[in-house]
Amino acid sequence: SGFNLKATEKKTKKEVFIRVYSESLRVKDFYTNFQGLNVVSALKHPGTVQIQGFRYPLNDQEKKQTKLLKIECKDERRNTVEVDVTGFILIFEFMKNGSIEYAVSEYLKTGGQNQDKMNPTIRSKIIFGIASTMKIIHQKNAIHRDLKLQNIYLDENFEPRIEGFYL
């Protein structure tokens, strides 16, 4: 499994989403999963989160030359954790409104009172967007294997973008 971070790309100054994988992830597993991600990224469908880049794990020599081996972050429970950033890294385009899981959770907690972010029209747009994206993915003989709320993100227009094809 990985740890998710928000970062800024140095050259373009754009925000990106980084997934850092633990060093225990086997190389074979990463390559297998990465192939599935590449197939979907090659489709360049607007309903999927696009990969921006990746980095292989650092070798011992690179670790000696690097100042930043670990960073302190907050996990989903707001606990401070130390994340090893020397393993595999995948870089994705940043989704401003995050995972749909959070939006749905907030909508349910407030009993639908938060109409500016999640109203019936937006919900219908999200449902249609997910269904039409998956239809096209399936027509290209690709499958997701782990479609769930945590793998559906909302862009700046609250349009759904599916991620997690590498699992």
Side-chain angles (χ1 to χ4, degrees):
S1 76
F3 198 86
N4 301 321
L5 306 168
K6 177 181 166 185
T8 302
E9 207 277 319
K10 285 184 180 180
K11 292 178 185 172
T12 65
K13 305 291 186 224
K14 282 186 171 183
E15 290 180 310
V16 293
F17 177 66
I18 296 176
R19 183 160 299 129
V20 180
Y21 292 90
S22 67
E23 205 171 335
S24 64
L25 180 66
R26 296 180 325 182
V27 173
K28 178 181 167 250
D29 293 338
F30 182 81
Y31 291 131
T32 301
N33 295 337
F34 190 67
Q35 285 175 333
L37 184 62
N38 264 342
V39 167
V40 173
S41 283
L43 296 175
K44 299 215 182 293
H45 189 278
T48 61
V49 177
Q50 297 297 305
I51 186 171
Q52 303 289 307
F54 65 95
R55 191 203 68 205
Y56 294 113
L58 300 179
N59 62 35
D60 290 338
Q61 180 66 26
E62 291 166 328
K63 287 179 185 178
K64 289 177 187 172
Q65 296 172 344
T66 303
K67 293 178 186 174
L68 185 64
L69 300 176
K70 296 182 181 195
I71 57 173
E72 280 192 0
C73 299
K74 299 279 185 190
D75 66 11
E76 56 276 347
R77 292 193 175 110
R78 308 300 300 153
N79 298 320
T80 300
V81 294
E82 199 170 68
V83 178
D84 180 347
V85 293
T86 63
F88 289 103
I89 292 179
L90 287 175
I91 304 163
F92 298 93
E93 61 184 318
F94 182 70
M95 293 292 111
K96 182 179 179 185
N97 288 301
S99 166
I100 195 174
E101 179 183 35
Y102 176 76
V104 168
S105 173
E106 287 300 305
Y107 181 79
L108 293 174
K109 278 184 200 173
T110 63
Q113 297 302 310
N114 194 1
Q115 295 297 319
D116 63 321
K117 289 191 177 180
M118 191 61 67
N119 61 44
T121 302
I122 291 172
R123 288 194 327 257
S124 294
K125 180 170 81 169
I126 291 168
I127 291 165
F128 180 78
I130 294 166
S132 63
T133 298
M134 290 309 299
K135 179 180 178 185
I136 290 168
I137 299 289
H138 290 159
Q139 286 173 342
K140 302 290 183 181
N141 294 321
I143 59 171
H144 192 286
R145 295 186 188 187
D146 196 29
L147 188 60
K148 58 186 177 183
L149 292 178
Q150 296 94 328
N151 287 331
I152 300 170
Y153 290 82
L154 298 173
D155 68 11
E156 63 278 353
N157 299 316
F158 278 89
E159 293 184 8
R161 305 283 291 276
I162 301 172
E163 192 260 339
F165 289 92
Y166 47 87
L167 296 173

